[in-house]
Amino acid sequence: MKDRLAFTRKEIFYYIALLLFFSTHLFNLTIVVKESNLGSAFKYIRLISYIIFAGIIIASEIKNKILSGIIIVLALAGIVAFKASDNTLIYITVIFFAGWCSTSRRNLKAIAIIQAVTIMIGVITCLTGVVENQIFMDNMRRRYMLGFTWVTTLPILFLYMSFSYIILRREKITFIEILCILGIHITLYIFTDTRMCFLIGVLSVLFTIINRYGKNNIDRINRKFRKITPAVPIILAVMSVLLAVFYNEGNRIWEVINKLLSNRLYYGQLGIRKYGITVFGQPIVWIGYSFEEMKGVYNYVDCSYIQILLSYGIVFLMFVLGIYTKILLFAKKNNDSWITMIVVLTLIFSITEPRLWNLTFNPLPFLLIDAVKDRNSFSTREVVSNV
């Protein structure tokens, strides 16, 4: 059955709610929307989306095994939300379980479309002079915001959108499409000087070319690393924490590494020392740079693994790592080098960026839907051809 004709009524309501939720979050990343004072209206719109998501879950016929999982996860999210004074986890959990009515492929496609519209809004309003193309001077680095609330927002948003696009297109992706993705990464790097984002973007293009045109080579790589790939989440999480813990400010080698990572080791260690590690999290106000005046002393920890550990605790970090491990095990079982490649790059990128569990930027946790259902919605011929 054609993918575009297979939407159920429940899925239609789900994607309406998904559009309301993600558009209000993503559009708010642009300066033109941020300055329009639509924050209060967006809160009410998101409330409507939460009601629809909850209604979908209630209306679903849930097996006892799945129902037990929902209760356990909601309980965990509730405890962590209470301890961290952050209800975001509950909302995300509700969205996840509502998304069970659809597939991973459709979720990634829908979110990528909303991300693309957001990018167009930010860039067009900037190029046409509707908003000022603000500049952030970072030492000698001249970095443009390009219509967004921070210099890294656009390149990171495009990176994750391109990740979804690559997974969706797979063997159907053409060399022209690959060159366009690379060209946009280069252009964004020139204007924003986002080094790690650019490096990961180039690596994704390189692996896409190998995966698309050198299938034998990628199969050999898969055979060599297939045993270790499911362990990548825990390996990188442990490595990130240990790097911050053992960072020595007075050591020249450590200083070089810290400088290359834009002081991320310093602030990671500072965060661990200041807040400590808890089981279920704690309330932390992260203060970082934006186009608005910074309110307070800078304390932002960019590393996803450390930020989740400090804000939400050990248990929730293990839960998030478990999700990515499950996705990689599913990719391994299905010999899906596309998902493996993109998820591993995301995990590496999360060493320096706090997007591992930020669905607004990173929709890859929605791959868990296929993993739990044990059905690869990207693999059938009619699905792949209708991207």
Side-chain angles (χ1 to χ4, degrees):
M1 181 166 53
K2 296 278 187 179
D3 180 54
R4 64 185 66 179
L5 300 177
F7 285 97
T8 64
R9 184 179 300 178
K10 194 180 297 181
E11 282 183 289
I12 293 172
F13 279 107
Y14 169 73
Y15 284 110
I16 290 173
L18 200 74
L19 173 64
L20 296 176
F21 176 82
F22 275 92
S23 62
T24 53
H25 275 293
L26 284 166
F27 293 172
N28 212 37
L29 297 174
T30 63
I31 292 177
V32 66
V33 174
K34 190 75 172 180
E35 292 182 338
S36 63
N37 297 318
L38 291 172
S40 298
F42 281 178
K43 287 181 181 179
Y44 287 111
I45 293 173
R46 282 196 291 271
L47 179 60
I48 294 172
S49 72
Y50 299 145
I51 293 172
I52 297 174
F53 287 135
I56 291 171
I57 295 174
I58 294 171
S60 300
E61 296 180 2
I62 304 173
K63 297 179 180 179
N64 291 334
K65 185 178 180 180
I66 300 297
L67 181 61
S68 301
I70 291 176
I71 293 172
I72 292 172
V73 174
L74 279 174
L76 173 61
I79 294 170
V80 174
F82 174 76
K83 296 288 289 184
S85 298
D86 185 352
N87 293 326
T88 306
L89 299 181
I90 296 178
Y91 299 146
I92 291 176
T93 303
V94 171
I95 295 170
F96 257 146
F97 286 119
W100 244 251
C101 69
S102 188
T103 65
S104 296
R105 178 188 179 276
R106 286 180 172 174
N107 274 283
L108 261 62
K109 184 177 180 181
I111 296 168
I113 291 171
I114 302 171
Q115 289 175 330
V117 172
T118 304
I119 290 172
M120 287 189 289
I121 290 173
V123 173
I124 290 173
T125 55
C126 174
L127 293 177
T128 56
V130 175
V131 298
E132 179 187 355
N133 187 11
Q134 299 189 32
I135 302 172
F136 177 74
M137 294 301 298
D138 183 7
N139 294 324
M140 297 302 294
R141 298 164 69 190
R142 190 180 181 89
R143 311 176 73 186
Y144 294 87
M145 296 193 185
L146 300 175
F148 286 81
T149 55
W150 184 237
V151 292
T152 62
T153 301
L154 176 55
I156 293 175
L157 189 60
F158 176 74
L159 178 68
Y160 281 109
M161 191 195 79
S162 69
F163 280 177
S164 294
Y165 189 83
I166 290 169
I167 291 177
L168 289 163
R169 289 293 289 160
R170 301 174 163 251
E171 291 83 2
K172 297 290 181 179
I173 197 167
T174 65
F175 194 69
I176 298 298
E177 290 172 280
I178 297 172
L179 285 180
C180 286
I181 292 173
L182 178 60
I184 294 173
H185 279 307
I186 293 172
T187 303
L188 292 177
Y189 174 68
I190 291 171
F191 282 99
T192 64
D193 197 14
T194 45
R195 293 173 295 203
M196 189 65 175
C197 184
F198 175 67
L199 175 62
I200 296 296
V202 171
L203 286 175
S204 71
V205 169
L206 176 62
F207 285 126
T208 298
I209 293 172
I210 295 173
N211 217 6
R212 174 67 175 82
Y213 298 102
K215 193 62 179 174
N216 292 334
N217 293 327
I218 206 69
D219 286 341
R220 282 198 295 270
I221 294 173
N222 275 340
R223 284 194 294 270
K224 287 182 178 179
F225 294 100
R226 61 184 288 113
K227 289 184 178 181
I228 195 174
T229 49
V232 169
I234 189 67
I235 290 173
L236 293 182
V238 171
M239 184 185 77
S240 299
V241 174
L242 290 179
L243 281 173
V245 169
F246 289 107
Y247 164 66
N248 185 348
E249 193 173 355
N251 183 281
R252 184 176 298 180
I253 296 176
W254 279 111
E255 282 300 303
V256 171
I257 298 172
N258 184 52
K259 187 176 181 180
L260 288 173
L261 296 175
S262 301
N263 285 325
R264 282 172 168 83
L265 292 181
Y266 170 79
Y267 283 108
Q269 186 181 85
L270 185 67
I272 293 172
R273 286 179 175 178
K274 182 176 180 179
Y275 301 109
I277 297 172
T278 61
V279 177
F280 291 110
Q282 58 192 309
I284 300 175
V285 178
W286 295 112
I287 301 171
Y289 295 118
S290 74
F291 82 109
E292 299 173 327
E293 184 179 351
M294 189 166 60
K295 299 176 181 178
V297 179
Y298 187 95
N299 70 339
Y300 202 83
V301 174
D302 289 279
C303 175
S304 290
Y305 305 104
I306 298 177
Q307 190 181 112
I308 292 172
L309 179 63
L310 297 179
S311 292
Y312 304 132
I314 297 173
V315 174
F316 192 78
L317 175 61
M318 295 306 297
F319 173 71
V320 173
L321 297 178
I323 287 176
Y324 279 94
T325 300
K326 176 69 174 176
I327 292 169
L328 286 171
L329 285 169
F330 176 72
K332 175 184 174 182
K333 177 182 177 181
N334 287 270
N335 198 27
D336 193 326
S337 56
W338 297 96
I339 289 179
T340 300
M341 170 187 73
I342 295 300
V343 170
V344 169
L345 286 176
T346 296
L347 291 164
I348 295 172
F349 188 50
S350 296
I351 296 173
T352 62
E353 289 296 332
R355 316 293 179 188
L356 188 66
W357 192 245
N358 186 333
L359 298 184
T360 304
F361 286 85
N362 173 21
L364 296 183
F366 281 103
L367 293 171
L368 181 68
I369 295 173
D370 278 10
V372 173
K373 289 182 177 180
D374 198 19
R375 177 187 180 272
N376 193 341
S377 60
F378 301 92
S379 63
T380 58
R381 183 177 302 172
E382 67 270 16
V383 166
V384 172
S385 63
N386 285 326
V387 172

